[in-house]
Amino acid sequence: STPISTITCKVGTTKKIDYTILPDTKKLKIKELNFKSSDRSKATVDNHGVVKTTAPGKVTITLTVIDNHYTQRIKKMKMMIVE
């Protein structure tokens, strides 16, 4: 399995999550891309991967990619939000 990266941010920070999605073949197309915060009271994330931190604590940001064969790939990033 892929290790989960952890980053530290201050409250009030806006950070863009950089990502690259490469289909396995030319026939494979990305159908859906979703970001989710484990705790929206501490950090929110929009559909473009822009995270805004609002309170201290630990949050996991999850990126889910669904291709045209409805295969899901999930990557997670942990954030430690500090004052």
Side-chain angles (χ1 to χ4, degrees), residues 27-83:
K27 293 180 183 178
L28 192 62
K29 304 289 182 214
I30 302 306
K31 187 166 183 75
E32 204 173 311
L33 182 67
N34 298 305
F35 290 91
K36 183 179 177 186
S37 170
S38 64
D39 188 342
R40 293 181 51 82
S41 70
K42 294 183 176 77
T44 59
V45 60
D46 68 12
N47 292 338
H48 303 287
V50 177
V51 178
K52 294 180 182 177
T53 60
T54 55
K58 294 179 184 178
V59 176
T60 300
I61 303 298
T62 303
L63 167 59
T64 304
V65 179
I66 301 172
D67 64 29
N68 59 334
H69 298 286
Y70 296 98
T71 302
Q72 261 190 11
R73 291 181 178 87
I74 298 172
K75 297 288 182 186
K76 294 185 178 189
M77 179 186 74
K78 291 186 178 185
M79 296 183 80
M80 173 61 76
I81 305 166
V82 296
E83 292 282 346

